[in-house]
Amino acid sequence: MARPTTVTRSEIPPAFNVADFFILPHQQSRGGRPYMYCGDQTLTYGQLHQNTNRVGNALRELGVGMEDRVLLLMLESLLFPPSFFGAIRIGAVAVPVNTLLTSKDYLYYLNDSRAKVLIVDLALWPQIEPIAGQLRHQKHIVIANGTVPGRPSLEALMAKASPELRTELMSPDDPAFWLYTSGSTGAPKAAVHLHHDMVYVTDHFVEPVLGLREDDLGFSAAKFFFAYGLGNSLYFPLAVGGRTVVQPARPTPEVCFAILERHRPTVFYGVPTLYNAMLNTYEAWLAGKSNPPAKLPKLDSLRFSVSAGESLPPELFTRWKK
């Protein structure tokens, strides 16, 4: 099935918003179709649209305008996609950041990005609370997936916001989101991704290289705050009308095997280090050297696996395929 888009590959209009590009084409034919699974929860394509609009309206009510940054310190959940696209849809810039860092790191990100609003998961609030008084640019700290006394709740803001939203049309060359580098050559730097960038990835990688299909269900070990995970879990499925499964825990071999067994995805995205660890774990189960799960996972649902982030040794490729 052809990729559902509102523009052709070479005709991105001068007034454009990438959130609309990925979300709107699905509303007539896929509104009730599942888009994302997390635990026992499901987000449909229609809910993604409405919740994105609600977050966008809520951010506007908080004073967020065009090109203002909205920093997302969020674990994998069904609130992340609407928060990411809600910021982008009103012309703001979404800034997902690593969820495994320290208060000192977040102080740097918040001051460097000059984000007007921070959306932080309740589980990560302990890293923000000690630095809340040192933030120079934040007007609001919004709590997701829970509540903190005296702080606005994302869910409460969404409940009051309209599910209808006027999109802020941008230039394809305007910034849509930032992702910070790891800081291996000094302080982390914000890599700026433009509104057209995800379109180009779709056109040149998602279809011609991966060959993703509407009936695919993907699972990525890499998280949203990595460019790899953001594509795998967030907008690659949207590019073809497919489905994705996410989970907030660290992607240990045991966690990944449990997801693969429960949801039986057709595409698995990992990194060589993880593939090696999963193979070692599985081989230890077979050899009786560690306690296996009640049911050994089968990977026969997978059409293919993807490896990125570091070189994949041929021997590891052969072991995994076998």
Side-chain angles (χ1 to χ4, degrees):
M1 180 174 180
R3 173 172 58 86
T5 64
T6 55
V7 297
T8 65
R9 299 185 192 283
S10 59
E11 296 176 345
I12 299 177
F16 177 77
N17 190 296
V18 74
D20 284 5
F21 176 86
F22 280 105
I23 294 175
L24 293 188
H26 303 291
Q27 298 317 305
Q28 293 298 319
S29 60
R30 299 187 180 90
R33 176 179 168 83
Y35 157 60
M36 181 175 287
Y37 306 101
C38 185
D40 295 325
Q41 298 179 310
T42 301
L43 182 70
T44 67
Y45 275 89
Q47 290 169 332
L48 171 64
H49 184 208
Q50 289 198 357
N51 291 349
T52 292
N53 292 346
R54 291 182 185 277
V55 173
N57 282 318
L59 290 173
R60 275 184 175 152
E61 285 293 315
L62 295 177
V64 176
M66 290 177 62
E67 299 191 16
D68 285 334
R69 270 74 68 196
V70 177
L71 196 134
L72 307 178
L73 180 55
M74 302 179 71
L75 299 171
E76 266 62 12
S77 79
L78 302 186
L79 287 177
F80 182 95
S83 299
F84 180 84
F85 284 120
I88 292 173
R89 198 164 189 200
I90 64 170
V93 179
V95 187
V97 295
N98 192 325
T99 58
L100 304 174
L101 302 178
T102 66
S103 297
K104 181 180 178 181
D105 296 312
Y106 298 132
L107 180 62
Y108 169 80
Y109 288 142
L110 286 159
N111 287 334
D112 182 73
S113 68
R114 301 177 186 174
K116 184 173 286 187
V117 170
L118 162 66
I119 302 178
V120 55
D121 258 296
L122 177 63
L124 299 171
W125 170 244
Q127 280 69 52
I128 296 299
E129 186 175 19
I131 61 171
Q134 304 174 53
L135 305 178
R136 302 199 301 269
H137 307 287
Q138 281 65 58
K139 303 298 183 184
H140 302 280
I141 298 176
V142 178
I143 308 299
N145 291 303
T147 60
V148 168
R151 300 287 179 183
S153 154
L154 179 61
E155 292 94 320
L157 293 176
M158 291 171 64
K160 294 188 298 182
S162 170
E164 303 292 332
L165 175 68
R166 172 183 54 82
T167 300
E168 197 69 62
L169 294 177
M170 310 293 286
S171 161
D173 297 320
D174 282 331
F177 65 98
W178 293 2
L179 291 176
Y180 273 90
T181 64
S182 62
S184 57
T185 58
K189 302 168 183 64
V192 179
H193 298 256
L194 310 179
H195 273 258
H196 62 54
D197 287 344
M198 287 188 280
V199 180
Y200 293 156
V201 173
T202 296
D203 288 348
H204 297 289
F205 181 66
V206 175
E207 289 184 355
V209 176
L210 293 181
L212 289 185
R213 306 185 311 220
E214 183 180 15
D215 61 349
D216 276 321
L217 169 63
F219 168 53
S220 173
K223 301 297 189 179
F224 285 136
F225 58 80
F226 292 115
Y228 184 40
L230 191 70
N232 300 341
S233 296
L234 189 80
Y235 68 92
F236 289 3
L238 290 172
V240 297
R243 296 167 299 143
T244 183
V245 57
V246 300
Q247 59 84 28
R250 286 176 180 263
T252 64
E254 292 80 5
V255 165
C256 290
F257 275 128
I259 293 289
L260 291 168
E261 175 63 28
R262 175 181 178 181
H263 290 277
R264 297 188 59 75
T266 59
V267 182
F268 177 48
Y269 304 87
V271 297
T273 300
L274 175 62
Y275 284 120
N276 186 60
M278 291 178 71
L279 284 165
N280 290 341
T281 297
Y282 195 82
E283 289 163 1
W285 287 342
L286 292 178
K289 296 179 181 178
S290 63
N291 293 326
K295 183 180 180 182
L296 282 176
K298 293 183 178 181
L299 307 187
D300 55 341
S301 65
L302 292 177
R303 287 207 300 125
F304 60 88
S305 302
V306 181
S307 180
E310 57 191 87
S311 296
L312 177 68
E315 182 266 344
L316 182 55
F317 168 85
T318 302
R319 285 174 64 208
W320 179 261
K321 190 170 182 179
K322 181 178 179 181

